[in-house]
Amino acid sequence: MDWSIPKFPLDTLCDQALTWLTVHLSGVTLAVAGVIANWIEVSTAALSAVPPPITIVVLAAICWRIAGIRPGIMAAAGLAFLWNLRLWVPTVETMILVTLATSAALVIGVPLGIACALSRRVWRTVGPFLDMMQTMPSFIYLIPAIPFFGLGPVSACFATIIFSMPPVIRLTALGIMQVPRELIEASEAFGSTPMQKLFKVQLPLAVPTIMAGVNQTIMLALSMVVIAAMIGAGGLGREVWRSIQRLEAGAGFEAGIAIVIVAVILDRVTQKLALRLRPTGQAAH
Amino acid sequence: MASQAEPQARTRIAVQAVSKVFSDQPQKALAMLEAGETKDVILERLGTVVGLNRVSFDVAEGEILVVMGLSGSGKSTMLRCINRLVEPSAGAIVVDGTDVTRLNQKDLLEFRRHKFGMVFQHFALFPNRTIQGNVEYGLEIQNVPKAQRAEKALAAIEVVGLKGWEAKYPNQLSGGMQQRAGLARALAVDADILLMDEAFSALDPLIRRDMQGELRQLQRKLGKTIVFVSHDLDEAIALGGRIVLMKDGAIVQIGNPEEILLAPATDYVRRFVEHIDVSSVLTAERLADRGVAVLRAGHTAAEARLAIASCQQTSWYVTDEGGRLVGRATREQVERCTGTIGAVMEAGCDRVEASATLRQAFARLAANRDGVAVVDDRGHLIGTVTHRGAARALARDTAGTAAASAEEARHGLVHPKISA
């Protein structure tokens, strides 16, 4: 007797769903992708055209304003080193990609996190998806991205957004849910509407936790950049990818160090920002 | 009793048979409560937690009502039902003629904004706002213009004695000061009902006592109606108002501190009040022995001698025609007397105010062998507190003091016959 149970056609089902979606949606998504790709190209070209010293000084100044003098100096030194390594253009590309992906992840993630915190039902629905988004190997997102957005930075950006969004959703929800019960009661006792409660009490008090989520999201986005290079995203990821294919350890190390430098700068700045937005309202200078 | 003798104040809050059952389907549990089942039985049979069991009480205009009980007695739940931070399952709560339980969401917000100020156990100050920002919160919610908001907030901050601290953040203030800020926030909205949830429980004992005293003063000055939740009977007594004693979500006894101390309704209350120092609760007025013989300053020697003829004592209090205590005369003085008593008596004598507690009267008692005179706020002699009376009160000889003083109160001062 044959006890074997026929294989459940998960792969086929998934492919069929994707095909259906591609047929019906790809027209729109490809058009959008075109616009975004164009925008990325133009802004990369523009930023690369500015003499690097000026960009370095401006970025360092921003770091200084936000995070203080030491991160400012660190940013200036780190970026100058990247320029010296002749990695300036890939660095700019990477930063634009990360900025774009992170902004999109925040624009979607923060409201979704708020919705999760306020509605148990939303939280229960979104939760499993977050688990899946975080544990699914990140390469997998690249495959469906291509039919929708074509090869290149937009697909990379899309995959990065998906991969990097969960922390900000989770931590936004967590931050709001962690606001002490008594403070919520106080705001209600004085007759706050749900909106007043959200904007005057819950969100301001959740800011440090939300900022921790933002930090995580940026770091994840940066780590995804390398993987995204496999489908034609430019930047430092491509340098790494090229070194792997050519077995050039030195060049690979250079590109790797470059990513580390960008990561450290972004991390310090966002962490300091989180500290400054602490609910005690005291600036951490 | 003292509280009933006062003119009837308007009822501000009427809590009418309020029950709270923590369940999606409260009907069954409510029916069981109605049938007289206890909290424990309902928990066992239905698995439903009963928070409040048909609680009813009134809060009068301008009083401090203390809702007291141990944790789990439902006192905080009761308080939160008044402004519906907790939804009551059954019953009505009428505040100034409006049944709060029937308000829709929009009207409820309005009601909360203008009727109630609430103070919390752990202060519940918003850490991201300055003290002024915190105090302004209620006004901000009402969309009061900025200038007016600041003005009212600063006034409230001054009332609670935090002037000069308005730009600080809560974590820069001590616990006592933080709670003052919490009080200011509740005062700033001009609501005349204050709901205070264990407001002083998180403070050091000394600070707590100060705050209790200040709250009483503030209440007298501003005439707020206060519902104060506490687990501490000493605090309930110190606040001086009526006490609603709760256990297992139901009321065990309602009364002023003296009634609860001297006539506990159940064994539970008795155990509760056992450790309480009676001497700090009983007032001289309550203890005063009103059957004391007095002489009038205007009495002639003959009248006085006639009056004391049948008395065993050795000295008498002397009052003027209006009943004000003016001095004391001994038997010897009366017998030596040729003109009026007023001329021979020892003018001025030790006395305690009617509102003084027994504890405050102890020093006077120690200094006077024959007890000490009790006078009201206009100086009229009410009676005397004797050593024996004080000792009996401390021994909680309640039948003695309560019955005796009620009896004597009816008769008033005993004057020697001839003064009529």
Side-chain angles (χ1 to χ4, degrees), chain B residues 223-236:
Chain B
K224 303 273 180 192
T225 301
I226 301 177
V227 182
F228 194 108
V229 163
S230 176
H231 65 262
D232 180 2
L233 188 54
D234 287 307
E235 178 163 84

PDB file of all heavy atoms in Angstrom, chain B residues 223-236:
ATOM      1  N   GLY B 223     -13.779  75.226  49.652  1.00  0.00           N
ATOM      2  CA  GLY B 223     -15.116  74.629  49.694  1.00  0.00           C
ATOM      3  C   GLY B 223     -15.331  73.516  48.685  1.00  0.00           C
ATOM      4  O   GLY B 223     -16.440  73.293  48.214  1.00  0.00           O
ATOM      5  N   LYS B 224     -14.247  72.808  48.310  1.00  0.00           N
ATOM      6  CA  LYS B 224     -14.405  71.707  47.356  1.00  0.00           C
ATOM      7  C   LYS B 224     -15.102  70.525  48.026  1.00  0.00           C
ATOM      8  O   LYS B 224     -15.016  70.350  49.241  1.00  0.00           O
ATOM      9  CB  LYS B 224     -13.040  71.230  46.870  1.00  0.00           C
ATOM     10  CG  LYS B 224     -12.204  72.304  46.229  1.00  0.00           C
ATOM     11  CD  LYS B 224     -12.498  72.446  44.771  1.00  0.00           C
ATOM     12  CE  LYS B 224     -11.650  73.540  44.148  1.00  0.00           C
ATOM     13  NZ  LYS B 224     -12.074  73.917  42.825  1.00  0.00           N
ATOM     14  N   THR B 225     -15.763  69.740  47.217  1.00  0.00           N
ATOM     15  CA  THR B 225     -16.312  68.474  47.697  1.00  0.00           C
ATOM     16  C   THR B 225     -15.287  67.408  47.341  1.00  0.00           C
ATOM     17  O   THR B 225     -14.857  67.326  46.200  1.00  0.00           O
ATOM     18  CB  THR B 225     -17.649  68.178  46.993  1.00  0.00           C
ATOM     19  OG1 THR B 225     -18.536  69.262  47.264  1.00  0.00           O
ATOM     20  CG2 THR B 225     -18.241  66.882  47.494  1.00  0.00           C
ATOM     21  N   ILE B 226     -14.882  66.626  48.328  1.00  0.00           N
ATOM     22  CA  ILE B 226     -13.773  65.701  48.094  1.00  0.00           C
ATOM     23  C   ILE B 226     -14.177  64.268  48.402  1.00  0.00           C
ATOM     24  O   ILE B 226     -14.753  63.994  49.450  1.00  0.00           O
ATOM     25  CB  ILE B 226     -12.552  66.078  48.965  1.00  0.00           C
ATOM     26  CG1 ILE B 226     -12.105  67.508  48.634  1.00  0.00           C
ATOM     27  CG2 ILE B 226     -11.415  65.090  48.762  1.00  0.00           C
ATOM     28  CD1 ILE B 226     -10.953  68.003  49.484  1.00  0.00           C
ATOM     29  N   VAL B 227     -13.922  63.379  47.467  1.00  0.00           N
ATOM     30  CA  VAL B 227     -14.044  61.951  47.752  1.00  0.00           C
ATOM     31  C   VAL B 227     -12.615  61.421  47.794  1.00  0.00           C
ATOM     32  O   VAL B 227     -11.885  61.498  46.819  1.00  0.00           O
ATOM     33  CB  VAL B 227     -14.847  61.216  46.669  1.00  0.00           C
ATOM     34  CG1 VAL B 227     -14.993  59.745  47.051  1.00  0.00           C
ATOM     35  CG2 VAL B 227     -16.211  61.853  46.504  1.00  0.00           C
ATOM     36  N   PHE B 228     -12.224  60.931  48.951  1.00  0.00           N
ATOM     37  CA  PHE B 228     -10.839  60.561  49.181  1.00  0.00           C
ATOM     38  C   PHE B 228     -10.765  59.065  49.469  1.00  0.00           C
ATOM     39  O   PHE B 228     -11.381  58.584  50.403  1.00  0.00           O
ATOM     40  CB  PHE B 228     -10.312  61.362  50.377  1.00  0.00           C
ATOM     41  CG  PHE B 228      -8.816  61.330  50.536  1.00  0.00           C
ATOM     42  CD1 PHE B 228      -8.060  62.454  50.247  1.00  0.00           C
ATOM     43  CD2 PHE B 228      -8.170  60.188  50.978  1.00  0.00           C
ATOM     44  CE1 PHE B 228      -6.684  62.438  50.399  1.00  0.00           C
ATOM     45  CE2 PHE B 228      -6.793  60.166  51.115  1.00  0.00           C
ATOM     46  CZ  PHE B 228      -6.051  61.293  50.832  1.00  0.00           C
ATOM     47  N   VAL B 229     -10.017  58.352  48.643  1.00  0.00           N
ATOM     48  CA  VAL B 229      -9.868  56.909  48.868  1.00  0.00           C
ATOM     49  C   VAL B 229      -8.602  56.669  49.663  1.00  0.00           C
ATOM     50  O   VAL B 229      -7.567  57.268  49.383  1.00  0.00           O
ATOM     51  CB  VAL B 229      -9.802  56.162  47.525  1.00  0.00           C
ATOM     52  CG1 VAL B 229      -9.241  54.771  47.715  1.00  0.00           C
ATOM     53  CG2 VAL B 229     -11.172  56.098  46.897  1.00  0.00           C
ATOM     54  N   SER B 230      -8.694  55.827  50.687  1.00  0.00           N
ATOM     55  CA  SER B 230      -7.519  55.547  51.502  1.00  0.00           C
ATOM     56  C   SER B 230      -7.604  54.145  52.077  1.00  0.00           C
ATOM     57  O   SER B 230      -8.689  53.610  52.268  1.00  0.00           O
ATOM     58  CB  SER B 230      -7.426  56.567  52.632  1.00  0.00           C
ATOM     59  OG  SER B 230      -6.355  56.246  53.484  1.00  0.00           O
ATOM     60  N   HIS B 231      -6.458  53.545  52.348  1.00  0.00           N
ATOM     61  CA  HIS B 231      -6.487  52.244  53.018  1.00  0.00           C
ATOM     62  C   HIS B 231      -6.109  52.415  54.488  1.00  0.00           C
ATOM     63  O   HIS B 231      -6.010  51.461  55.235  1.00  0.00           O
ATOM     64  CB  HIS B 231      -5.515  51.269  52.340  1.00  0.00           C
ATOM     65  CG  HIS B 231      -4.082  51.681  52.475  1.00  0.00           C
ATOM     66  ND1 HIS B 231      -3.409  52.348  51.479  1.00  0.00           N
ATOM     67  CD2 HIS B 231      -3.222  51.568  53.494  1.00  0.00           C
ATOM     68  CE1 HIS B 231      -2.182  52.605  51.893  1.00  0.00           C
ATOM     69  NE2 HIS B 231      -2.043  52.152  53.107  1.00  0.00           N
ATOM     70  N   ASP B 232      -5.921  53.681  54.877  1.00  0.00           N
ATOM     71  CA  ASP B 232      -5.326  53.969  56.169  1.00  0.00           C
ATOM     72  C   ASP B 232      -6.349  54.669  57.059  1.00  0.00           C
ATOM     73  O   ASP B 232      -6.765  55.790  56.776  1.00  0.00           O
ATOM     74  CB  ASP B 232      -4.109  54.866  55.903  1.00  0.00           C
ATOM     75  CG  ASP B 232      -3.398  55.249  57.179  1.00  0.00           C
ATOM     76  OD1 ASP B 232      -3.823  54.798  58.252  1.00  0.00           O
ATOM     77  OD2 ASP B 232      -2.419  56.004  57.086  1.00  0.00           O
ATOM     78  N   LEU B 233      -6.763  53.985  58.108  1.00  0.00           N
ATOM     79  CA  LEU B 233      -7.799  54.548  58.975  1.00  0.00           C
ATOM     80  C   LEU B 233      -7.309  55.806  59.682  1.00  0.00           C
ATOM     81  O   LEU B 233      -8.068  56.752  59.874  1.00  0.00           O
ATOM     82  CB  LEU B 233      -8.255  53.501  59.995  1.00  0.00           C
ATOM     83  CG  LEU B 233      -9.470  53.878  60.846  1.00  0.00           C
ATOM     84  CD1 LEU B 233     -10.640  54.269  59.960  1.00  0.00           C
ATOM     85  CD2 LEU B 233      -9.876  52.737  61.750  1.00  0.00           C
ATOM     86  N   ASP B 234      -6.022  55.829  60.033  1.00  0.00           N
ATOM     87  CA  ASP B 234      -5.475  57.037  60.660  1.00  0.00           C
ATOM     88  C   ASP B 234      -5.655  58.237  59.742  1.00  0.00           C
ATOM     89  O   ASP B 234      -6.008  59.327  60.175  1.00  0.00           O
ATOM     90  CB  ASP B 234      -3.981  56.850  60.959  1.00  0.00           C
ATOM     91  CG  ASP B 234      -3.774  55.902  62.129  1.00  0.00           C
ATOM     92  OD1 ASP B 234      -4.374  56.145  63.179  1.00  0.00           O
ATOM     93  OD2 ASP B 234      -3.039  54.923  61.963  1.00  0.00           O
ATOM     94  N   GLU B 235      -5.401  57.989  58.461  1.00  0.00           N
ATOM     95  CA  GLU B 235      -5.546  59.069  57.493  1.00  0.00           C
ATOM     96  C   GLU B 235      -7.003  59.495  57.386  1.00  0.00           C
ATOM     97  O   GLU B 235      -7.326  60.676  57.368  1.00  0.00           O
ATOM     98  CB  GLU B 235      -5.032  58.605  56.135  1.00  0.00           C
ATOM     99  CG  GLU B 235      -5.186  59.637  55.044  1.00  0.00           C
ATOM    100  CD  GLU B 235      -4.311  59.303  53.849  1.00  0.00           C
ATOM    101  OE1 GLU B 235      -4.737  58.508  52.991  1.00  0.00           O
ATOM    102  OE2 GLU B 235      -3.194  59.830  53.790  1.00  0.00           O
ATOM    103  N   ALA B 236      -7.877  58.494  57.341  1.00  0.00           N
ATOM    104  CA  ALA B 236      -9.303  58.787  57.240  1.00  0.00           C
ATOM    105  C   ALA B 236      -9.741  59.662  58.403  1.00  0.00           C
ATOM    106  O   ALA B 236     -10.497  60.619  58.243  1.00  0.00           O
ATOM    107  CB  ALA B 236     -10.098  57.491  57.220  1.00  0.00           C
TER     108      ALA B 236
END
